[in-house]
Amino acid sequence: MSREYCKIFAAEARAAPGFGEVPEIIPLYLIYRPANNIPYATLEEDLGKPLESYCSREWGCAEALTAFGSSEAMQKCQTFQHWLYQWTNGSFLVTDLAGVDWKMTDVQIATKLRGYQGLKESCFPALLDRFASSHQCNAYCELLGLTPLKGPEAAHPQAKAKGSKSPSAGRKGSQLSPQPQKKGLPSPQGTRKSAPSSKATPQASEPVTTQLLGQPPTQEEGSKAQGMR
């Protein structure tokens, strides 16, 4: 889920002129090994170098910028956190961002509400409030038009900034669903041909019998048939 959020962020960041490189959360694969005592394991790309920490739950990104300098990758990780916090209305945050160059791995998540996106419980809900109070916007936050989380402009957290629009904002209502809209199929009853009525069978039996016998009905037989009707 963190990787999918990061891909949406990357699409918006690349659309902003002059943003440059964008952090990427590398995929994590689940493999099944039936002959092993522990059949399930995770597999990911070997980045080849020791991981550099860009943000941690212990000291956060604001402290990291002061203690370790303001590298471009660290500032953009902070911008990604700000964007994600605003995108989810303060309900979801990716933390413990570490990696090599622009590839991030082993990230952790923080949620405010239990059951968010199917999660069974909430994770570090106090971290979201701490992030909102300690985050300091940088040039990349301003480049995406993100709303500051502190100050008078933060009084309306529900209003999204003009520079950070949802990818689905320009779509029509019928295009929001990932499944294509199916056209209404005609009723199966409408394609059936009308079956001949059973009431018409007795009326047609008399001429059929006449054709089989090869003789026209006599006057006496005709009067008997009229008397039976």
Side-chain angles (χ1 to χ4, degrees):
M1 182 164 53
S2 300
R3 173 175 165 80
E4 292 303 314
Y5 276 130
C6 191
K7 288 165 65 176
I8 300 173
F9 167 76
E12 292 196 2
R14 292 190 181 99
F19 193 90
E21 295 288 337
V22 184
E24 175 194 3
I25 299 177
I26 63 176
L28 186 66
Y29 301 98
L30 179 66
I31 61 174
Y32 176 60
R33 305 172 297 175
N36 198 289
N37 294 332
I38 304 177
Y40 292 97
T42 55
L43 184 68
E44 65 179 354
E45 177 187 356
D46 183 9
L47 299 181
K49 297 180 181 179
L51 301 182
E52 180 181 356
S53 182
Y54 298 113
C55 184
S56 173
R57 283 172 291 177
E58 282 72 22
W59 36 265
C61 285
E63 290 83 353
L65 294 175
T66 304
F68 302 100
S70 56
S71 67
E72 181 181 355
M74 190 174 293
Q75 289 188 45
K76 289 181 178 179
C77 286
Q78 185 182 17
T79 301
F80 168 59
Q81 286 189 307
H82 184 178
W83 174 90
L84 183 57
Y85 183 91
Q86 179 176 308
W87 177 277
T88 60
N89 292 325
S91 300
F92 188 88
L93 189 69
V94 174
T95 184
D96 283 5
L97 291 162
V100 176
D101 297 330
W102 298 103
K103 293 185 176 182
M104 308 296 160
T105 181
D106 196 25
V107 301
Q108 303 296 319
I109 62 173
T111 60
K112 179 171 290 186
L113 301 176
R114 182 176 181 179
Y116 180 82
Q117 296 290 341
L119 298 174
K120 295 183 178 180
E121 58 185 16
S122 58
C123 310
F124 313 107
L127 188 61
L128 291 128
D129 297 331
R130 179 184 173 188
F131 173 79
S133 60
S134 62
H135 172 73
Q136 298 178 1
C137 290
N138 55 51
Y140 299 104
C141 296
E142 297 176 359
L143 193 60
L144 294 182
L146 300 178
T147 305
L149 302 179
K150 296 183 295 184
E153 295 185 21
H156 305 284
Q158 299 293 337
K160 292 188 177 182
K162 295 182 179 180
S164 180
K165 297 181 180 179
S166 169
S168 61
R171 301 178 184 174
K172 297 180 181 180
S174 59
Q175 297 176 345
L176 295 178
S177 174
Q179 298 180 354
Q181 298 293 331
K182 298 181 179 180
K183 297 182 179 180
L185 297 177
S187 172
Q189 297 181 357
T191 58
R192 298 177 184 176
K193 295 182 179 180
S194 57
S197 175
S198 60
K199 296 181 179 181
T201 304
Q203 299 178 0
S205 61
E206 184 177 348
V208 172
T209 304
T210 303
Q211 293 178 1
L212 292 176
L213 295 178
Q215 298 178 357
T218 61
Q219 184 176 1
E220 182 179 357
E221 292 176 353
S223 60
K224 288 182 180 180
Q226 292 179 1
M228 294 174 63
R229 294 181 182 176

